[in-house]
Amino acid sequence: MTYNNLEISTEDKIGLITINRPKALNALNKETIEELSNAFGELESNEDIRVIILTGSGEKAFVAGADIKEFKDFDGKQGQQLAQVGQTILFNKIENLKKPVIAAVNGYALGGGLELAMSCHFRIASDNALLGLPEVTLGLIPGYGGTQRLPKLIGKGRAMQAIMTAEMFKAEKAEQIGLVNEVVALEELLPRAKKIASKIAFNSPVAISKAIEVINLSDSDKGFEAEINAFGELFDAEDFKEGTTAFLDKRKPNF
């Protein structure tokens, strides 16, 4: 499939999606959101791909936010539809994808950009990253899941303060509060993300898919039951047989 706003590459079981709108600091517009949805669907269905990395082109921005020009004249109904469609076709889709998604956050990750990064399964940031949800400065609140995902990552109190003040976090602070997993130099960002992705790609894709599913239920009352059921189901999978056999044979498993 041809994309106007994305670059897609694959190598060694890793898919790389690069948002490529450098003149707009990779801001999310309707077309880009739709293309991202299609790209994630394409890579999820590709059996050769085990892990997906998402990043932005250039050194300045992962995604600097939503494209405000597209919705500045919207009414309430249109605004609600904007949030609902975006969450459904992209942000929730990434969070529940069967394959792990790593956000490689380079530069600005603001508004919808931070919401996009938070929908990924975890985040690695460059040392020049700046993350925040400044929607209240526009008279809005985050609409792509930011009010729900940020408290889970940094705690309710910190999320309240960050959203109400439109506070922006430098990379070091973001790591301290758990918004990103680690911080590396800009030139090391993609190599580090690929190194982590390679470690994941070595492991059982069936088990990893189940882990994503169950971890996403960890803040609900269904989490423990889901873990028990998933644990049992995996005993019937071929990967379990291969993994245990390889362990006993003292060799690397071939998943």
Side-chain angles (χ1 to χ4, degrees), residues 16 24 27 29 58 60 83 100 130 148 177 209 224:
L16 175 63
N29 58 5
K60 293 183 178 180
L130 190 65
Q148 304 305 300
I177 63 177
S209 177
F224 287 102

Short mmCIF file of all heavy atoms in Angstrom, two decimals, residues 16 24 27 29 58 60 83 100 130 148 177 209 224:
data_model
loop_
_atom_site.label_atom_id
_atom_site.label_comp_id
_atom_site.label_asym_id
_atom_site.label_seq_id
_atom_site.Cartn_x
_atom_site.Cartn_y
_atom_site.Cartn_z
N LEU A 16 9.07 -0.99 10.96
CA LEU A 16 9.32 0.40 11.37
C LEU A 16 8.36 1.32 10.64
O LEU A 16 8.34 1.36 9.40
CB LEU A 16 10.76 0.81 11.08
CG LEU A 16 11.13 2.27 11.35
CD1 LEU A 16 10.99 2.62 12.82
CD2 LEU A 16 12.55 2.56 10.86
N ALA A 24 5.27 19.90 9.03
CA ALA A 24 4.21 20.10 10.03
C ALA A 24 4.61 19.50 11.38
O ALA A 24 3.76 19.30 12.24
CB ALA A 24 2.91 19.47 9.54
N ALA A 27 2.63 16.50 12.65
CA ALA A 27 1.31 16.64 13.29
C ALA A 27 0.31 15.66 12.69
O ALA A 27 0.36 15.32 11.50
CB ALA A 27 0.80 18.07 13.13
N ASN A 29 -3.02 14.67 11.18
CA ASN A 29 -4.25 15.09 10.53
C ASN A 29 -5.08 13.84 10.23
O ASN A 29 -4.67 12.72 10.51
CB ASN A 29 -3.97 15.90 9.25
CG ASN A 29 -3.14 15.12 8.23
OD1 ASN A 29 -2.84 13.95 8.41
ND2 ASN A 29 -2.79 15.79 7.14
N GLY A 58 12.88 13.08 11.10
CA GLY A 58 13.66 14.22 11.55
C GLY A 58 14.05 14.13 13.01
O GLY A 58 13.81 13.12 13.69
N LYS A 60 13.34 16.83 15.26
CA LYS A 60 12.60 17.80 16.07
C LYS A 60 11.35 17.22 16.73
O LYS A 60 10.96 17.67 17.80
CB LYS A 60 12.21 19.01 15.22
CG LYS A 60 13.37 19.86 14.76
CD LYS A 60 12.87 21.07 13.98
CE LYS A 60 14.03 21.97 13.55
NZ LYS A 60 13.55 23.16 12.78
N ALA A 83 -12.97 12.60 18.20
CA ALA A 83 -12.35 11.79 19.26
C ALA A 83 -12.74 10.32 19.14
O ALA A 83 -11.90 9.44 19.28
CB ALA A 83 -12.75 12.34 20.63
N PRO A 100 3.66 -6.35 19.81
CA PRO A 100 4.11 -5.21 20.62
C PRO A 100 4.53 -4.02 19.77
O PRO A 100 5.12 -4.19 18.70
CB PRO A 100 5.30 -5.79 21.39
CG PRO A 100 5.70 -7.01 20.66
CD PRO A 100 4.50 -7.54 19.97
N LEU A 130 10.41 16.21 24.46
CA LEU A 130 9.58 17.08 25.31
C LEU A 130 8.15 16.57 25.19
O LEU A 130 7.60 16.53 24.09
CB LEU A 130 9.67 18.53 24.86
CG LEU A 130 9.04 19.58 25.78
CD1 LEU A 130 9.78 19.64 27.12
CD2 LEU A 130 9.05 20.94 25.11
N GLN A 148 -7.18 9.06 30.20
CA GLN A 148 -7.29 7.70 30.73
C GLN A 148 -5.92 7.03 30.84
O GLN A 148 -5.65 6.31 31.81
CB GLN A 148 -8.21 6.86 29.84
CG GLN A 148 -9.60 7.46 29.65
CD GLN A 148 -10.28 7.73 30.98
OE1 GLN A 148 -10.51 6.80 31.77
NE2 GLN A 148 -10.62 8.99 31.23
N ILE A 177 9.26 9.74 36.22
CA ILE A 177 7.87 9.52 36.64
C ILE A 177 7.21 8.35 35.92
O ILE A 177 6.04 8.07 36.14
CB ILE A 177 7.02 10.80 36.44
CG1 ILE A 177 6.94 11.20 34.97
CG2 ILE A 177 7.57 11.95 37.28
CD1 ILE A 177 6.06 12.41 34.70
N SER A 209 1.60 -12.09 22.62
CA SER A 209 0.26 -11.61 22.32
C SER A 209 -0.67 -11.76 23.52
O SER A 209 -1.45 -10.86 23.85
CB SER A 209 -0.30 -12.38 21.12
OG SER A 209 -1.63 -11.98 20.84
N PHE A 224 -6.94 -10.92 36.92
CA PHE A 224 -6.42 -12.18 37.46
C PHE A 224 -7.05 -13.39 36.78
O PHE A 224 -6.37 -14.36 36.46
CB PHE A 224 -6.67 -12.24 38.97
CG PHE A 224 -5.77 -11.33 39.77
CD1 PHE A 224 -6.24 -10.12 40.26
CD2 PHE A 224 -4.44 -11.66 39.99
CE1 PHE A 224 -5.43 -9.27 40.98
CE2 PHE A 224 -3.61 -10.81 40.71
CZ PHE A 224 -4.10 -9.61 41.20
#
